[in-house]
Every structure is written in C-alpha cells, then in structure tokens.
Amino acid sequence: MKASATINYAVEDVFYIFTRSAKRDFKDFKEESPKGSKITKNIGKYKGKPVECTIEITDFIKNEKYEITTSSEFSKCKSTYEFKTDKDGKTIITFEETQGSESIFSLMGILFQRFLAKRQFKSRFNNIIENLEAELKTYLSNVERSKPKNKEEWYTIIDLEIIDDFIKMW
C-alpha cells in the first residue's frame, strides 16, 4: 500500500520533526547512525502466550528516507517514508508499507488483513500528516518567537554570551 502528501514546509524541518518521535521511541537512537536501532513491544496474546514484535530502523538517510521493519514470529512489515522537495520548496512525503510472510497460511492471513486495512492505512497516514503539520506549526512558531526582535536585543544576547564566556574563563 502506498500514499503521498505534500506539506508546505521545508524538507529539513519536516524530517527533523518526523524523526524527533523516533528519538523518543528508540532509546538507542544515535543521530549520526540510527540504522539498527531497535525496540521490542508486547502486542498481545496468542493461544495464551504473549506475542512480541521487534521494531528496527532498517534504513535512514537524513532528510530523504526513514524506514522501519516490524517483525514477529508470524509476519514482517516494512514501513518506508520518503521525503522529497518539490519545485516550490514544499515537502512531498511518500509512505509505503509492505508485508511479508513465512508460510502460505500467514500469506493468506496477510492478504485478508490488507483487504480490510486499506481504509485504515489511508486514515493512519492522514493522521500522521495532520499531526506533523501541527507540530511543525508549533515548532516554527517557537523558533520565530525565540529570535531577537531587533538589533539591540541581538547585541545584548551577544554581550551576555561574551560576558558569560569571560566569567567561565576565570
């Protein structure tokens, strides 16, 4: 399944906000090389036994691609998010999800799930886009508010930093 959306923000800002949640979820997330970061989650029970899944960052290219693979003993699902800039400077996000299986019975179950999940897929993607736009609006508003309003304020900040550095030296 595949879906795309265009967001009226620069790709660097979109990717920053998008991956900020990964930093919260993956405790071993390393900014310089997040590929291989993993978490394990308990997703329910099957025949009275707990079922766990592993979620791993399997591909990561800053400002271009974020891919995670979710796997359990029953199936594997790869979620890929690609980020591109259009000619107007907006960001195009493409979300693709593929599932694999180990046996013919799992494959039949996955095909049935796909049939039922098409609406959920689009709804979930739209929800991701709406939340991302809301977070971007808040983030960029906060960045704008934290900028100095005029040159005097900027000089005051620089002067305070110089004084602070001078004090630290002594």
Side-chain angles (χ1 to χ4, degrees):
M1 290 183 272
K2 194 173 190 174
S4 289
T6 302
I7 298 180
N8 195 14
Y9 294 97
V11 73
E12 296 81 11
D13 294 329
V14 173
F15 196 81
Y16 170 76
I17 295 299
F18 187 86
T19 57
R20 194 165 65 173
S21 70
K23 293 175 190 175
R24 287 189 300 257
D25 295 339
F26 293 89
K27 302 301 179 217
D28 61 344
F29 187 94
K30 295 180 185 87
E31 187 78 36
E32 55 284 345
S33 62
K35 208 167 155 182
S37 298
K38 290 182 188 180
I39 58 171
T40 301
K41 287 187 173 186
N42 187 349
I43 57 171
K45 290 189 176 200
Y46 179 72
K47 293 186 179 180
K49 295 180 183 178
V51 177
E52 288 186 338
C53 73
T54 301
I55 304 168
E56 178 180 0
I57 298 174
T58 49
D59 201 358
F60 185 94
I61 303 169
K62 189 174 183 178
N63 298 329
E64 290 180 34
K65 188 176 189 180
Y66 178 83
E67 180 182 275
I68 59 171
T69 300
T70 306
S71 51
S72 71
E73 64 181 284
F74 305 108
S75 68
K76 191 180 252 188
C77 176
K78 185 180 355 175
S79 302
T80 305
Y81 300 86
E82 291 183 332
F83 301 80
K84 296 184 178 174
T85 304
D86 73 2
K87 60 181 168 65
D88 298 325
K90 298 176 183 176
T91 301
I92 301 168
I93 299 176
T94 304
F95 174 44
E96 185 172 8
E97 204 166 76
T98 56
Q99 290 185 322
S101 96
E102 304 298 319
S103 71
I104 188 69
F105 297 110
S106 294
L107 179 60
M108 289 186 329
I110 287 171
L111 291 173
F112 183 66
Q113 286 174 353
R114 264 195 207 155
F115 174 73
L116 296 175
K118 282 200 180 214
R119 278 191 188 160
Q120 286 181 335
F121 174 82
K122 189 69 172 169
S123 174
R124 192 175 56 184
F125 180 65
N126 288 340
N127 192 33
I128 289 169
I129 297 301
E130 286 173 16
N131 289 335
L132 192 55
E133 286 179 324
E135 281 190 56
L136 279 159
K137 186 176 180 179
T138 301
Y139 167 72
L140 293 172
S141 172
N142 289 342
V143 166
E144 193 61 37
R145 250 195 339 248
S146 68
K147 286 183 180 177
K149 311 253 182 306
N150 55 40
K151 285 185 179 181
E152 290 84 31
E153 186 177 335
W154 183 76
Y155 289 132
T156 306
I157 291 170
I158 297 297
D159 292 344
L160 290 175
E161 287 176 0
I162 292 170
I163 292 168
D164 206 27
D165 289 342
F166 183 77
I167 292 170
K168 285 179 187 174
M169 288 176 33
W170 293 100

